[in-house]
Amino acid sequence: MESQSAKPIIAALLQPLPVLTQPQARNDLSDESVVRLLVRQFIDLSLDAFNQVLQGKLDQDEAVDGINRQAIALNSVFLGNSGFESVITHPWNTPEQLGAFLKDVVALEYPEDDCVRAMLIHLATQVMHALRLPDEERNEEVEALTLDAADLLLGRAPEDDGEIDIDIDV
């Protein structure tokens, strides 16, 4: 499910990670800080796109396309087929493992090789809804969404009350 334009996006998402988290320039997908940073970058890019639409600087379709390209790129990274040597994957990072987990836990009705992308698109939708909240509540909601998404990508069902905060109702 990787498009040709996904490679530069993946590279851009991974570029700051070696300096911030991995001194050997390796991005280990079992490292919680790496996963959270990737999720947070996706959320920040989504927030920026939504804000540009609200300000009339970007067409809504272009924003959605850009967010989807980012989600496709991260799908490739988290499912272990990005081709980047700087990314350390594990047996978990496959459609049969991570994809099946997301399909089951988040109740996604997508093929296992597309479940990371689908989960991230749903995450972006929740982030868009969070824009309606007052600043302090919005920041808390975005942080909670970030932690929940990172937990899912690490193979942990988010804690709280047993409920998954990433609402998949479309």
Side-chain angles (χ1 to χ4, degrees):
M1 177 120 239
E2 183 178 350
S3 72
Q4 289 229 323
S5 62
K7 282 278 188 194
I9 295 169
I10 296 169
L13 288 170
L14 294 173
Q15 186 174 9
L17 292 179
V19 175
L20 296 176
T21 61
Q22 300 289 322
Q24 295 83 21
R26 304 282 289 183
N27 301 300
D28 190 330
L29 294 181
S30 70
D31 182 333
E32 192 167 342
S33 63
V34 169
V35 174
R36 282 186 183 176
L37 185 56
L38 285 168
V39 170
R40 186 56 203 218
Q41 287 176 327
F42 174 78
I43 287 174
D44 289 346
L45 291 167
S46 298
L47 282 170
D48 182 56
F50 294 139
N51 282 323
Q52 286 189 39
V53 168
L54 292 173
Q55 296 169 6
K57 296 179 182 178
L58 186 64
D59 177 75
Q60 183 174 348
D61 290 338
E62 290 174 309
V64 168
D65 288 345
I67 290 167
N68 192 51
R69 280 192 303 273
Q70 295 163 24
I72 290 169
L74 286 172
N75 190 73
S76 176
V77 168
F78 281 102
L79 293 180
N81 56 22
S82 70
F84 282 96
E85 292 180 18
S86 65
V87 176
I88 299 170
T89 59
H90 301 275
W92 170 251
N93 299 109
T94 65
E96 298 79 20
Q97 294 292 317
L98 177 56
F101 172 79
L102 291 173
K103 189 172 187 164
D104 181 49
V105 172
V106 188
L108 295 170
E109 294 185 16
Y110 292 86
E112 292 169 350
D113 65 350
D114 193 34
C115 281
V116 172
R117 183 202 64 82
M119 187 270 298
L120 290 171
I121 293 300
H122 292 303
L123 172 63
T125 302
Q126 293 303 86
V127 167
M128 181 182 68
H129 292 302
L131 286 174
R132 299 179 186 147
L133 299 171
D135 285 347
E136 187 175 308
E137 289 179 45
R138 178 177 53 237
N139 293 339
E140 288 176 16
E141 180 68 12
V142 167
E143 182 62 22
L145 289 168
T146 301
L147 296 175
D148 284 351
D151 280 346
L152 287 168
L153 292 168
L154 289 164
R156 300 185 301 236
E159 293 177 11
D160 293 334
D161 52 8
E163 294 288 319
I164 306 274
D165 284 342
I166 300 174
D167 182 7
I168 61 166
D169 295 335
V170 180

